[in-house]
C-alpha cells in the first residue's frame, strides 16, 4: 500500500523546527563559545511572544541591596548575604538541571540548560571574587559608599548574569520546552528580587520610553501609520532596575519604523 505523502503544512513545520533549533545552537556557539552536537527534536509548542515576556517580570518589595550599606561595618555581613543568595540560586538551578538530565538523557535541551547552569556558576565566581575586593577607603559619605557599591553590583549583575543568561533563556523558550526554562528563570527572578531589583513593566503598543529602553528598527517593521511612530512592536528584554534612578540593564524593544509617504 502506498504511503500518503506528507501535506505541505507538515513539511513546512518540520523545516521551521530544524531552522529554529539551528538558530538557537548558533546563538550559544557564537555568544558563549560552547560546542554542541546538533540533533533535531520535536519541541513543545512555543508560547506567544507577548505572553512569554511576562514570565520575565520581576517584582520586589526589598530595599535595593546597595542602599543597605550604611557604613564600613556593614560590608562583611552584606557581602555574606549576597553570596548566600547567589549560592542558593546556583544550587537550586543545579538540582533542576540534574533532575531534568535524568529524565531526558542526551537531549538537546539538556545540553542547553546545562550550559545555563555553568554560566550561573561562572557568575557566582565572578560575584564572589569582585565583591571581596570592595572597600570604602575613598568614600567619605554614606551616599558615596552606596554609589560605589551600586556601580560594582550593577556591573556584575548586568555583564555576568542578566545580559549573558536571560537572552539564552528567552531564545530557548521561543522554540519551546517553556516549562524547564521557566523553572530556571524562576530561581534567577527570585535572586534578583531578593537583591531589590525589579523589571519595569512595558507592553507592546506603548510608546517607547527612551530613558529605560534601547529600540531597534528595521525595514520589516515599516509602517505609514503615523499613530505607530515610536511605538513598541515587540519586547525582546524588559528593563531591569533597582529604582527609577538606578538602571541595571536597559530594555530591548523593536519599534515601528514610520515612513512618511
Amino acid at each position: 500500500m502506498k504511503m500518503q505523502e506528507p501535506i505541505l503544512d507538515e513539511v513546512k513545520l518540520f523545516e521551521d523546527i530544524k531552522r529554529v533549533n539551528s538558530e538557537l545552537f548558533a546563538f550559544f556557539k557564537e555568544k558563549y563559545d560552547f560546542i554542541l552536537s546538533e540533533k533535531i527534536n520535536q519541541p513543545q509548542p512555543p508560547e506567544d511572544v507577548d505572553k512569554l515576556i511576562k514570565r520575565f517580570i520581576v517584582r520586589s518589595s526589598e530595599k535595593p541591596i546597595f542602599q543597605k550599606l550604611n557604613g564600613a561595618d556593614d560590608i562583611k555581613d552584606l557581602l555574606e548575604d549576597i553570596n548566600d543568595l547567589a549560592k542558593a540560586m546556583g544550587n537550586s538551578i543545579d538540582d533542576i538541571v540534574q533532575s531534568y538530565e535524568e529524565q531526558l538523557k542526551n537531549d538537546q535541551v539538556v545540553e542547553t540548560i546545562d550550559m545555563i547552569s555553568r554560566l550561573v556558576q561562572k557568575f557566582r565566581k565572578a560575584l564572589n571574587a569582585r565583591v571581596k575586593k570592595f572597600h570604602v577607603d575613598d568614600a567619605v559619605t554614606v551616599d558615596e559608599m552606596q554609589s560605589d557599591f551600586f556601580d560594582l553590583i550593577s556591573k556584575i549583575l548586568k555583564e555576568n548574569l542578566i545580559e549573558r543568561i536571560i537572552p539564552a533563556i528567552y531564545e530557548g523558550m521561543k522554540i519551546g520546552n517553556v516549562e524547564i526554562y521557566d523553572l530556571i528563570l524562576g530561581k534567577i527572578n527570585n535572586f534578583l528580587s531578593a537583591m531589590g531589583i525589579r523589571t519595569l513593566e512595558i507592553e507592546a503598543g506603548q510608546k517607547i520610553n527612551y530613558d529605560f529602553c534601547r529600540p531597534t528598527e528595521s525595514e520589516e517593521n515599516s509602517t505609514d501609520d503615523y499613530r505607530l511612530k515610536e511605538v513598541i512592536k515587540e519586547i525582546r528584554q524588559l528593563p531591569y532596575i533597582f529604582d527609577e534612578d538606578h538602571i541595571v540593564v536597559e530594555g530591548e524593544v523593536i519599534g515601528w519604523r514610520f515612513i512618511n509617504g
Side-chain angles (χ1 to χ4, degrees):
M1 180 177 179
K2 185 177 180 180
M3 294 182 64
Q4 183 179 358
E5 293 293 329
I7 61 174
L8 183 60
D9 286 346
E10 290 175 335
V11 174
K12 184 177 183 301
L13 175 61
F14 181 70
E15 292 301 321
D16 286 344
I17 290 170
K18 289 199 297 183
R19 176 180 57 78
V20 293
N21 274 286
S22 297
E23 288 174 355
L24 179 61
F25 272 73
F27 172 85
F28 276 113
K29 188 172 182 180
E30 178 182 355
K31 192 171 183 67
Y32 305 119
D33 196 29
F34 286 121
I35 299 176
L36 303 172
S37 58
E38 291 207 31
K39 291 174 286 187
I40 304 301
N41 293 300
Q42 177 74 25
Q44 298 169 4
E47 196 171 27
D48 178 82
V49 172
D50 289 337
K51 292 181 180 178
L52 193 63
I53 202 68
K54 294 184 184 300
R55 293 179 179 270
F56 291 81
I57 292 173
V58 179
R59 296 184 175 92
S60 180
S61 58
E62 293 290 329
K63 187 176 183 179
I65 194 75
F66 68 92
Q67 292 181 0
K68 295 180 180 180
L69 180 61
N70 295 306
D73 293 340
D74 296 334
I75 294 177
K76 182 179 178 181
D77 290 341
L78 197 55
L79 297 187
E80 286 181 358
D81 289 344
I82 294 172
N83 280 320
D84 286 345
L85 289 170
K87 181 179 179 180
M89 173 185 65
N91 289 343
S92 296
I93 291 175
D94 283 345
D95 290 342
I96 292 169
V97 172
Q98 183 177 356
S99 174
Y100 201 81
E101 285 176 340
E102 292 171 355
Q103 297 176 46
L104 292 175
K105 296 183 183 298
N106 300 320
D107 185 81
Q108 177 177 299
V109 177
V110 171
E111 294 184 59
T112 303
I113 62 176
D114 182 65
M115 285 187 299
I116 292 174
S117 177
R118 280 183 277 164
L119 289 171
V120 170
Q121 298 308 325
K122 287 184 177 182
F123 160 72
R124 285 183 55 196
K125 290 179 180 178
L127 177 68
N128 185 55
R130 289 163 71 174
V131 296
K132 279 183 177 179
K133 297 179 181 179
F134 180 76
H135 57 83
V136 294
D137 295 346
D138 299 328
V140 177
T141 67
V142 171
D143 286 344
E144 288 176 339
M145 280 191 293
Q146 291 182 352
S147 178
D148 290 345
F149 197 45
F150 164 76
D151 290 341
L152 173 73
I153 290 296
S154 61
K155 182 178 176 65
I156 299 171
L157 292 171
K158 176 181 179 179
E159 296 178 356
N160 296 84
L161 182 65
I162 298 173
E163 288 188 339
R164 287 181 66 83
I165 299 175
I166 296 300
I169 293 176
Y170 179 71
E171 293 300 322
M173 281 184 168
K174 284 203 303 183
I175 293 175
N177 297 288
V178 172
E179 180 181 354
I180 180 63
Y181 290 111
D182 195 47
L183 289 173
I184 295 172
L185 177 63
K187 301 303 179 183
I188 296 174
N189 286 351
N190 289 342
F191 168 75
L192 294 173
S193 178
M195 295 282 285
I197 288 178
R198 63 184 177 90
T199 51
L200 193 67
E201 296 187 32
I202 56 177
E203 295 182 0
Q206 292 179 339
K207 286 285 188 179
I208 298 171
N209 186 332
Y210 292 95
D211 291 334
F212 298 98
C213 295
R214 183 171 63 251
T216 58
E217 296 179 347
S218 72
E219 293 292 339
E220 296 178 358
N221 304 315
S222 298
T223 178
D224 58 1
D225 187 343
Y226 73 92
R227 294 172 299 180
L228 294 178
K229 184 178 181 181
E230 298 184 335
V231 168
I232 298 171
K233 180 183 179 183
E234 180 185 334
I235 301 167
R236 303 299 303 275
Q237 180 173 286
L238 295 169
Y240 288 79
I241 63 176
F242 277 110
D243 53 45
E244 295 189 359
D245 294 322
H246 295 88
I247 302 171
V248 180
V249 179
E250 289 180 308
E252 293 185 12
V253 301
I254 297 175
W256 285 102
R257 182 172 179 266
F258 174 64
I259 300 176
N260 189 6

